[in-house]
Amino acid sequence: LIIPLVFFTKQLPYCRGNLIHHTYCDQLSVAKLSCGNIKINVVYGLMAAFLIGGFDILCIAISYTMILREVVSLSSTEARRKAFSTCTAHICAIVFSYSPAFFCFFFNRFGSHTVPSSCHIIVANIYLLLPPTMNPIVYGVKTKQIRDCVLRILSGSKNTKSYITYLSGKR
C-alpha cells in the first residue's frame, strides 16, 4: 500500500527549496515541497492509512473479544484478575502507540494551517519516542520485582545495589 506513494511523490515537479520543517522525513512532507498538485498523494495516503489502521484495530478488537470471552469463563477469581490485569497493560501499550500516531496523521493532513508547526513537531517526536519508552514502563510496573526495585531506588534505600544483584541472580 505504501510503495505507490513513493512513485506519486517522485513524479511531482519540485521548484521550491528542499528544507523540510520537521525532525524526520515522511512522504507527505516531501510532497508538500512540490509546486504541483499533491491531491493524489493526500487522498491515497489517507486511504492507505485508514486501511492499515482500520485493519489493525479490527484485528485487535477481534482478538481481545476472543481473549475476554475466555477470561470471563475462567473458574478462578485470581486467574481472572491476573488475566484482566495483563489485558489492561496490553491495551495501555496499544493506546500509547496509536494515539500520537493518529494525531500526527490527521494533523498533517487537515490541521497544518491552524496549529503552529512547532506543536506538530513536538507531537511527531512524541509519536516516535513514546511507544518504545512506554512499553517497558507499562510492562515493568506489572512485574513485582521490577516495581519493587524501582521503588527502592526512588526511595533512596541503602541496600538497592544488593537488591539489584539479588534480582539479576548474581548472589
Side-chain angles (χ1 to χ4, degrees), residues 61-75 80 84 87:
I62 289 170
S63 65
Y64 271 94
T65 301
M66 293 167 59
I67 290 168
L68 290 175
R69 263 197 210 148
E70 292 301 318
V71 167
V72 170
S73 68
L74 291 173
S75 59
R80 275 196 305 267
F84 277 125
C87 286

Side-chain angles (χ1 to χ4, degrees), residues 107-132:
F107 174 81
N108 204 11
R109 277 152 179 80
F110 303 117
S112 58
H113 300 294
T114 58
V115 179
S117 63
S118 59
C119 179
H120 177 61
I121 291 169
I122 290 169
V123 172
N125 289 334
I126 290 171
Y127 158 64
L128 290 177
L129 297 174
L130 187 68

Side-chain angles (χ1 to χ4, degrees), residues 5-154:
L5 286 171
V6 175
F7 292 110
F8 294 152
T9 305
K10 186 177 181 193
Q11 293 176 355
L12 292 170
Y14 294 94
C15 54
R16 296 184 198 150
N18 60 356
L19 179 65
I20 295 174
H21 300 284
H22 219 295
T23 53
Y24 64 91
C25 181
D26 66 337
Q27 178 273 330
L28 193 56
S29 296
V30 173
K32 285 182 178 180
L33 292 175
S34 168
C35 37
N37 185 358
I38 64 167
K39 187 174 185 174
I40 187 77
N41 294 65
V42 173
V43 170
Y44 187 84
L46 198 61
M47 183 188 73
F50 276 123
L51 285 173
I52 293 168
F55 184 71
D56 285 355
I57 290 171
L58 178 68
C59 289
I60 290 168
I62 289 170
S63 65
Y64 271 94
T65 301
M66 293 167 59
I67 290 168
L68 290 175
R69 263 197 210 148
E70 292 301 318
V71 167
V72 170
S73 68
L74 291 173
S75 59
S76 166
T77 305
E78 181 63 19
R80 275 196 305 267
R81 188 191 64 75
K82 282 186 177 184
F84 277 125
S85 177
T86 301
C87 286
T88 302
H90 292 173
I91 290 170
C92 286
I94 291 167
V95 168
F96 282 131
S97 297
Y98 280 90
S99 297
F102 282 128
F103 178 82
C104 285
F105 172 76
F106 287 115
F107 174 81
N108 204 11
R109 277 152 179 80
F110 303 117
S112 58
H113 300 294
T114 58
V115 179
S117 63
S118 59
C119 179
H120 177 61
I121 291 169
I122 290 169
V123 172
N125 289 334
I126 290 171
Y127 158 64
L128 290 177
L129 297 174
L130 187 68
T133 56
M134 290 310 293
N135 270 344
I137 293 170
V138 166
Y139 294 114
V141 166
K142 288 196 46 52
T143 307
K144 185 177 179 355
Q145 292 89 353
I146 295 173
R147 184 176 56 238
D148 290 347
C149 184
V150 169
L151 290 174
R152 285 179 192 247
I153 290 170
L154 293 176

